[in-house]
Amino acid sequence: MKKKKIMLLILVISLVAVTILIFNKLYPSPIWNRKNIKMRMVMWIISLSFLTYYLKVNQKPQLVPSILSSDRIADKERHSSNVTFDDVAGLEEIKEELQETIDFLNDSGKYKRMGAKIPKGILFYGPPGTGKTLLAKAVAGETNSTFLYASGSEFVEKYVGVGAKRVRTLFERAKKEAPSIIFIDEIDAIGTRRNLDSNNEKDQTLNQLLVEMDGFNTDETVIVIGATNRLDLLDEALLRPGRFDRHIYVGNPNRKAREQILRVHTKNKPLDDTIDISEIAKKTHGLTGAELANIANEAAIIAVRNKKDYINIEHFNAAIERVLAGLEVKNPTVLLKEKKTVSIHEAGHALVSKILKVDMVQKISIVPRGQSLGYVLKFPEEDRYLLTKQELMDKISTLLAGRAAEELVFGEITTGAKDDLSKATKIVKEMVCSYGMSSLGLMAIDEHYTKLDFEAIRIEMQKILDEAYNRSISIIRENLDILHHISNLLMEKESIDSEELDEIFKLYQKPIDCAT
Ligand code: ATP
C-alpha cells in the first residue's frame, strides 16, 4: 500500500516537473534553456502516459463482495451488530436453541476439551421480514463476534470463478477475525439444487462454499448462518451434517409475539393512554416483525405530522391502514359511477364475511389507497393453525363476494375482482394439490405433475370456485337490502367502522345465510 502511494507521488511530481519545463519555453529561464522544446514535449507525454497507465492498472475490477472489499464498510457492519437478544422479541424457542452456539463462541475451550464439535452451520428459513437477519446479528452481538454480512446474490457472477473467489475471500476474512459469524442472506441465490442444466459458475460457487464449510477445523470459532425463504430449493449437499445441519424455522409471529415486537419497537416512543398494545397486536394478525416495526415507525411519523407530543391510537390505526392497504390517494378522480360499483363490491365482501363469520370486519372504505379503489380491513379473532374445509370454502366465498355483488346489482362485472380472484385461486389450488380436499382424492400433486395434466386439476378447481361463488350469490340475494344499506352509507361517508356495521345489521331482523 505504502509502495503504491510513493510510486503515485513520483509520477505526479515528474508530470509537474515536465509541465514546468514546457511552460519555461514561454517564460524562459537560463537553467532550462539548453533543452529543446521537442524533447520537453516527449518527456511530458511519457510522464502522462505512465501516470494514466498506472492509475488504470490499479483500478482492478472488484473481486470481493462490497462488504469485504472495503475495511471501512466491514467495520461499520461489525459495529452495527451490537444487537442483542433483548432486541429480538418473541422467538423464545429459537433464542433458546441458539444458546448453545453462543456458549460455544463465548467459551469454546469447554467443548474442545470434551472433543465436542459444535454445529458450524445454522440455516434460518421462513417468510421475509420475520427476523432472520436480526437473529444472526443478535448472536454476533451476544458473543461479541465479528459479523460478516454477505448476500447470496453478491456471489452470482457472469464470469466463471469470480463467485468462488468471493466465497474464499469471505471465509479467509472470517477465520482471520474469529470469533466471527458469517451471515449469508438469500443463500438460495447460490445454493439451489444442482442439475444437468445448471450453470457452471453457480456450481463452482456452491462447491467452493461446501469446501470452505468442510475446511474448518475444531479450533476455528467461525459460525456460518444462512437465511432463505425457500428451504425446498436448496441443494442436499448444503443441508447434510457438517454443513447447514441445523434448520430453524422463523415464521410469522403469533399474537403474543406481535405484542412483544410492538413493545420493543415502541420502547423509545412517547405513547399516550389511548394505546393498548395488546389490542394493536390483535388487529395485526398475519403481519411480520418487519411490518410491525414499520407500523410503529409510521405511527410516530404521523404523530409528528399532526404536531402532537404523544402517539395516540388514531395514529396507530392510520399507520396500520397505511401498511395494510397502501398510501391514500389524495384528490382521487374516480367517476361517481365507478364509486358506486366499488361501494357495492366492498359491501359484498363485508356482508358475506360477517354472515359467514370469516374474520372480524374492522373497517370498510372506498377511499382509494395504493392500487385499490376500496378495501375491507378484517382480522381473525384468534391465531389459527388448522382450518377446516368448510372454513376454507367460507374464505373463498368472501373473496368472491365482491364480484358476486357486482353481478347481482348491475348485471355486469368489472376488473375490480382481479386481486380477489388470484387469492381465491391460490387457496383452491392448495385445497386440490396439497390438502387432498377435492374429488381427486387424498394426494399431494407437485408442480411437475400439474404441468403434465393441468386439465384434471383445473376441472376440480373450477368446481370448488363455482360452488363458493354460487354461495356468495345466494347470500347476497337474500340480503340485498343490507347490501344496499352498506353501499349507500359508504357513498355518503366513504368509510364505515365495525360499530357502524353492527348497527346496520341490528336494523335487519335476521341476516340469512340461505346456503346453510
Ligand atoms: P428477509 O428474509 O427479507 O431478509 P428477515 O427475516 O431477515 O427478512 P429482518 O431483516 O431480520 O428480516 O427483519 C427486518 C426488521 O423487522 C428488523 O430490523 C426488525 O426491526 C424487525 N423485526 C423482525 N422480527 C423482529 C422481532 N422478532 N423482534 C423485533 N424486531 C423484529
Side-chain angles (χ1 to χ4, degrees), residues 178-293:
S180 56
I181 308 276
I182 297 179
F183 179 66
I184 308 178
D185 205 358
E186 301 168 36
I187 198 163
D188 41 296
I190 45 168
T192 43
R193 215 165 285 138
R194 289 164 290 184
N195 54 39
L196 284 178
D197 358 293
S198 59
N199 90 35
N200 199 2
E201 154 63 3
K202 230 177 84 205
D203 287 359
Q204 270 206 22
T205 311
L206 175 57
N207 285 338
Q208 188 63 42
L209 181 62
L210 301 177
V211 168
E212 293 293 345
M213 290 194 75
D214 288 343
F216 286 138
N217 58 42
T218 37
D219 293 340
E220 272 150 354
T221 38
V222 178
I223 303 278
V224 191
I225 302 181
T228 177
N229 306 136
R230 294 294 307 269
L231 181 69
D232 55 318
L233 295 182
L234 295 186
D235 198 290
E236 263 129 47
L238 203 56
L239 305 177
R240 77 150 176 74
R243 290 167 186 158
F244 288 108
D245 46 9
R246 284 211 175 174
H247 308 163
I248 299 178
Y249 179 70
V250 189
N252 281 355
N254 60 23
R255 186 167 154 186
K256 194 158 161 259
R258 288 198 300 278
E259 187 176 331
Q260 287 165 347
I261 294 172
L262 283 164
R263 287 196 196 285
V264 164
H265 288 280
T266 49
K267 204 166 48 190
N268 305 322
K269 297 183 172 69
L271 306 179
D272 84 358
D273 302 339
T274 55
I275 290 185
D276 178 352
I277 294 285
S278 62
E279 273 304 305
I280 300 175
K282 198 169 153 190
K283 51 189 184 190
T284 46
H285 178 272
L287 297 194
T288 61
E291 284 165 321
L292 294 170

Side-chain angles (χ1 to χ4, degrees), residues 343-373:
S343 72
I344 287 289
H345 182 106
E346 300 308 333
H349 284 308
L351 175 73
V352 174
S353 170
K354 211 153 160 63
I355 290 179
L356 293 182
K357 299 191 178 61
V358 176
D359 301 340
M360 276 170 58
V361 177
Q362 201 181 337
K363 185 173 179 177
I364 318 164
S365 169
I366 55 165
V367 176
R369 269 181 186 271
Q371 285 190 314
S372 68
L373 294 175

Side-chain angles (χ1 to χ4, degrees), residues 43-89:
M43 279 168 70
W44 188 80
I45 289 168
I46 292 173
S47 303
L48 187 66
S49 317
F50 264 124
L51 185 65
T52 320
Y53 175 75
Y54 177 82
L55 290 175
K56 223 172 159 187
V57 164
N58 278 292
Q59 212 179 37
K60 276 188 216 147
Q62 276 202 343
L63 286 179
V64 287
S66 53
I67 177 66
L68 300 167
S69 61
S70 151
D71 290 343
R72 207 158 39 87
I73 303 175
D75 282 348
K76 193 186 91 196
E77 276 296 318
R78 187 162 9 146
H79 292 310
S80 74
S81 74
N82 51 9
V83 176
T84 67
F85 274 167
D86 288 342
D87 302 306
V88 186

Side-chain angles (χ1 to χ4, degrees), residues 306-362:
N306 292 345
K307 299 191 173 54
K308 296 280 188 252
D309 294 330
Y310 291 91
I311 306 172
N312 63 34
I313 190 65
E314 275 164 27
H315 303 143
F316 256 98
N317 285 340
I320 292 172
E321 240 178 304
R322 160 91 175 76
V323 170
L324 288 181
L327 191 63
E328 185 178 322
V329 180
K330 298 281 175 203
N331 308 318
T333 52
V334 184
L335 300 175
L336 194 64
K337 180 172 170 270
E338 286 184 341
K339 220 168 155 182
K340 182 70 196 166
T341 310
V342 177
S343 72
I344 287 289
H345 182 106
E346 300 308 333
H349 284 308
L351 175 73
V352 174
S353 170
K354 211 153 160 63
I355 290 179
L356 293 182
K357 299 191 178 61
V358 176
D359 301 340
M360 276 170 58
V361 177
Q362 201 181 337

